[in-house]
């Protein structure tokens, strides 16, 4: 434990770009480690990219067909013995947000049992320090991209809170496609004071104009939320901000929800196109709300919240119009029947795997051709508190 504390302190003192080197030096000294490497998941969640690789060299490994990917997907250590060494792949995750995999190479005769608990703590500390270091270096941001981002996508990824989040009461995850060329779709969440606030957003238009519009709306919603305003007033303030800038020529569709973590009571404002499906047991049904005007369409729009409740075991799936409105070659919208089938088919998967699985089914439904709009899926599993489970 003393050695782990020393490594954590060394990480906090290290230059932002030196985190991996600090871990390697410390584990060489204290754990007999031969080599260390860190890979981060790319924006498309298809590959794990080596941190600190030589520009132009493709040293990525696939998430779905590699030992590193197995550790990333299962969120458990994975051991491989090859080439005269033992390679231990460990997930690097912060509060449910899967960042990547740390690979530790050891002699073949090494006993892993006493090392695993300490190495798990090192991975957690490394993940936290990466998030802090990203304020001061591009190293880890660059490692996440398998190809160049469009400017609109660059803006959107910088705006997002993460790809997943886990608390005792819930677990949620989201994914956007095309990951390197998104423009209007977005999601945001915040957990504080016994509440989870979740927004799913779709700014009209394409490219940089859509990204700018969504950026304004998200920051207006955050500003209102951080001022302590109730949900309906958050929507009204963001509505005013968008209208003041665009005078009704552009607007933002958004679904806003506020979950009471203690009771499962949910307050919702439906201001546009994002939609919600609930899976309770094997039953999948869309949850419809009273449609209200998108943000920025008219001046001084008044928003009225609605309420419903979630139970432990419920799974909620949120989709943008690029998901449910995508049509098959036969003309059937994905949201008509195929989305419900995809949701039932992914029931046993954790939330972190569901958005990608649903989007893969969407690609098949669409006939394999490129989607006409960007597509966003958010999955939320509600666990509830000990008190709500007892009820």
């Amino acid at each position: 434990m003393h050695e782990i504390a020393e490594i954590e302190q060394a990480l906090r003192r290290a230059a932002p770009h030196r985190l991996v080197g600090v871990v390697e030096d410390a584990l060489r000294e204290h754990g007999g480690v031969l080599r260390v490497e860190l890979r981060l998941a790319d924006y498309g969640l298809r590959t794990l990219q080596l941190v600190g690789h030589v520009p132009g060299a493709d040293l990525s490994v696939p998430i779905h067909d590699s030992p590193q990917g197995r550790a990333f997907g299962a969120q458990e250590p994975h051991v491989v013995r090859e080439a005269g060494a033992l390679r231990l792949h460990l997930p690097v995750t912060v509060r449910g947000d899967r960042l990547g995999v740390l690979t530790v190479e050891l002699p073949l005769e090494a006993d892993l049992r006493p090392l695993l608990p300490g190495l798990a703590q090192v991975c957690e500390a490394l993940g936290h320090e990466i998030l802090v270091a990203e304020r001061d270096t591009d190293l880890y941001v660059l490692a996440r991209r398998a190809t160049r981002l469009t400017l609109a996508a660059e803006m959107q990824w910088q705006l997002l809170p993460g790809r997943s989040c886990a608390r005792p009461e819930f677990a949620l995850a989201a994914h956007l496609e095309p990951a390197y060329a998104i423009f209007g779709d977005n999601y945001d969440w915040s957990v504080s004071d016994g509440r989870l606030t979740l927004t799913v957003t779709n700014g009209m238009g394409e490219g940089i104009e859509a990204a700018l519009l969504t950026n304004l709306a998200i920051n207006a919603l955050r500003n209102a939320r951080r001022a302590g305003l109730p949900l309906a007033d958050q929507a009204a303030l963001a509505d005013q901000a968008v209208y003041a800038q665009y005078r009704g020529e552009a607007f933002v569709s958004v679904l806003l929800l506020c979950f009471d973590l203690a009771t499962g009571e949910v307050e919702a404002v439906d201001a546009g196109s994002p939609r919600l499906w609930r899976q309770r047991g094997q039953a999948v049904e869309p949850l419809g709300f009273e449609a209200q005007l998108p943000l920025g369409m008219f001046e001084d729009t008044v928003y009225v919240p609605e309420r419903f409740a979630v139970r432990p075991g419920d799974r909620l799936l949120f989709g943008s119009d690029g998901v449910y409105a995508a049509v098959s070659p036969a003309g059937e919208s994905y949201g008509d029947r195929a989305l419900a089938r995809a949701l039932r088919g992914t029931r046993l998967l954790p939330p972190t795997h569901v958005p990608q699985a649903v989007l893969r089914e969407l690609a098949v439904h669409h006939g394999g051709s490129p989607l006409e709009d960007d597509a966003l899926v958010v999955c939320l599993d509600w666990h509830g508190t000990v008190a709500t489970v007892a009820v």
Side-chain angles (χ1 to χ4, degrees), residues 42 272 380:
D42 88 300
L380 185 148

Side-chain angles (χ1 to χ4, degrees), residues 170 192 194-198 257-267 276 308 310 316 318 380 382:
F170 68 88
S192 59
R195 296 189 302 274
L196 163 67
T197 302
L198 174 65
L257 300 106
C258 183
F259 295 77
D260 187 311
L261 298 180
T263 67
E265 295 293 320
V266 187
E267 190 176 43
L276 168 61
F308 67 101
V310 286
L316 303 180
F318 306 82
L380 185 148
W382 186 260

Side-chain angles (χ1 to χ4, degrees), residues 76-384:
E76 294 179 352
H78 180 63
V79 181
V80 177
R81 289 175 170 83
E82 60 182 9
L86 184 153
R87 290 183 177 85
L88 175 62
H89 305 293
L90 299 142
V92 178
T93 300
V94 178
R95 295 178 179 173
D97 194 7
R98 303 177 301 164
L99 302 184
V101 172
L102 183 73
T103 297
V104 177
E105 188 174 302
L106 295 141
L108 274 175
E109 66 274 10
D111 184 1
L112 292 180
R113 287 172 297 179
L115 295 176
L116 281 174
L119 288 173
Q121 288 181 262
V122 169
C123 287
E124 183 177 4
L126 176 60
H128 280 280
E129 291 304 319
I130 287 171
L131 296 184
V132 174
E134 284 182 344
R135 300 179 307 179
D136 304 313
T137 179
D138 285 338
L139 178 66
Y140 309 103
V141 175
L142 288 172
R144 289 192 173 94
R145 54 195 69 193
T147 188
R148 184 172 180 176
L149 292 170
T150 64
L151 178 55
E154 184 89 50
M155 293 171 64
Q156 293 290 60
W157 281 107
Q158 291 299 311
L159 195 60
L160 295 171
R163 277 188 292 228
S164 51
C165 177
R167 285 276 303 266
E169 302 88 351
F170 68 88
L172 68 87
H175 192 61
L176 287 152
E177 287 290 350
Y180 289 85
I182 52 173
F183 36 88
D185 287 359
N186 198 281
Y187 58 86
D188 194 27
W189 62 67
S190 175
V191 186
S192 59
D193 298 329
R195 296 189 302 274
L196 163 67
T197 302
L198 174 65
T199 61
V200 182
T201 310
N202 181 10
M204 67 173 289
E206 298 181 356
I208 191 69
E209 293 300 326
L212 287 168
L213 175 61
T214 301
N215 204 297
L216 172 61
I218 291 293
N219 279 293
L221 287 167
R222 287 174 176 172
N223 179 257
R225 185 186 72 225
R226 292 164 183 169
L229 299 182
L231 200 68
D233 291 343
Q234 293 175 31
L237 188 146
D239 171 68
Q240 293 167 15
V242 175
Y243 185 83
Q245 183 67 31
Y246 292 95
R247 312 306 296 181
E249 295 182 1
F251 52 85
V252 179
S253 296
V254 60
L255 180 60
L256 298 90
L257 300 106
C258 183
F259 295 77
D260 187 311
L261 298 180
T263 67
E265 295 293 320
V266 187
E267 190 176 43
V269 172
D270 182 354
S273 62
R275 294 185 185 174
L276 168 61
W277 285 258
R278 178 181 64 199
Q279 181 167 18
R280 182 170 284 172
Q282 285 299 312
V284 177
E285 60 179 343
L287 294 185
F289 304 104
E290 180 181 346
Q292 302 183 66
L293 294 173
L295 307 183
M297 182 171 282
F298 296 104
E299 190 173 13
D300 298 328
T301 302
V302 176
Y303 293 94
V304 180
E306 300 177 65
R307 288 173 174 79
F308 67 101
V310 286
R311 302 175 187 171
D314 281 357
R315 169 166 285 179
L316 303 180
L317 189 88
F318 306 82
S320 65
D321 58 357
V323 175
Y324 64 79
V327 296
S328 69
E332 180 185 10
S333 295
Y334 187 59
D336 290 345
R337 291 179 297 176
L339 190 147
R341 287 198 301 268
L343 194 50
R344 291 189 190 96
T346 58
R347 186 68 183 96
L348 298 180
L349 295 178
T352 49
H353 291 63
V354 172
Q356 270 193 300
V358 170
L359 288 170
R360 283 195 296 269
E361 291 294 324
L362 170 62
V364 174
H365 175 85
H366 194 58
S369 59
L371 295 173
E372 297 164 4
D373 193 3
D374 46 355
L376 163 63
V377 173
V378 180
C379 178
L380 185 148
D381 277 8
W382 186 260
H383 309 314

